[in-house]
Amino acid sequence: MNPVAAGPVADVVSAFLMLLGALSCLLGAIGLMRLPDLPARLQAATKPQTLGLSLILLGTALRVELASAVTLVLVVLFQVITAPVISQLVGRAAYRSGALPDDALVVDELAEHLPADALVGDESDRDDRDDRD
Amino acid sequence: MGVVFALVLVMVGVSAALALVRLLRGPTTLDRIVALDVIVVLTVVAAGVYVAYYRDGSNIPLLAAVALVGFVGSTAAARLAVRRERHR
C-alpha cells in the first residue's frame, strides 16, 4: 500500500494539480453555460472532458499505490481518445440536421464534399422532413 | 489538505450545476447531449477526488466504467439526435 509519491512535496504537487483541474472544470462549465451557440459550447466542453479530468486524475494518481495509478492513467488515456469522437459526432449531427446558425461557420469546407441532397436547407431535405411529418 | 479537497469539490459541484442548467435549457437536443457528457465527466472527476481523499484504490474500476458508459451513451444519443432534429 505504498503510494506512488509520499511526503509533503508530493502532497503540494497533488493539491496543485487537483486545484488546477477543478478550476478548468469550472471555466469549462461557465463557458458551456454562457457561450452563444453549439460549436462554441462544444469547445468549452472539452476543458472538463480532457484537461480537467487529466489534471485531477494525475493529482489522484500521486496519492494512491502504483497499480491504481496505472489504471487512472488508462482512464485518462481513454477519455483523451473518446472526447474528440463525441465532439466530432455532435458537430456532424448539428451540421447535418441544420441546428447550426447560418453565421456560425466562417469556412465551410464540408459543403464542397457532401452530395447535394445532404446539404442543410436543401430542397430534398425539406421534402424529407415533410414526408416524416 | 482537507481545505483543498473541499475547494475542489465545491468547484466541481458548481460546474455540475452550471452544466445542469445547460442540460435543462437546451435549446437543441445536441446541446443537452454535450451538457450530459460534461456531467458524466464531472462524476468521474468527483469519484477521483474521493479516491484521492481516502487513498482508496478500490473505487477506480468505477471511474473506468462510468467513463466507458458515458462515451457509449453520448455517441448513441448523438447518432439518434440527427433524426430527431429533422422533425423540428
Side-chain angles (χ1 to χ4, degrees), chain B:
Chain B
M1 215 49 196
V3 183
V4 173
F5 283 112
L7 207 59
V8 167
L9 277 182
V10 166
M11 284 200 256
V12 172
V14 171
S15 312
L18 289 173
L20 195 66
V21 171
R22 178 51 67 201
L23 179 72
L24 293 175
R25 273 202 194 162
T28 66
T29 315
L30 294 167
D31 288 299
R32 297 197 167 95
I33 292 170
V34 174
L36 194 63
D37 195 58
V38 169
I39 290 176
V40 169
V41 168
L42 290 175
T43 311
V44 176
V45 166
V49 176
Y50 171 91
V51 169
Y53 185 72
Y54 289 102
R55 293 178 182 269
D56 169 20
S58 59
N59 278 316
I60 288 178
L62 177 86
L63 302 191
V66 173
L68 243 163
V69 171
F71 167 65
V72 173
S74 299
T75 312
R79 296 288 301 184
L80 291 174
V82 181
R83 306 213 175 136
R84 283 288 298 276
E85 289 295 314
R86 286 192 184 208
H87 286 290
R88 284 157 30 88

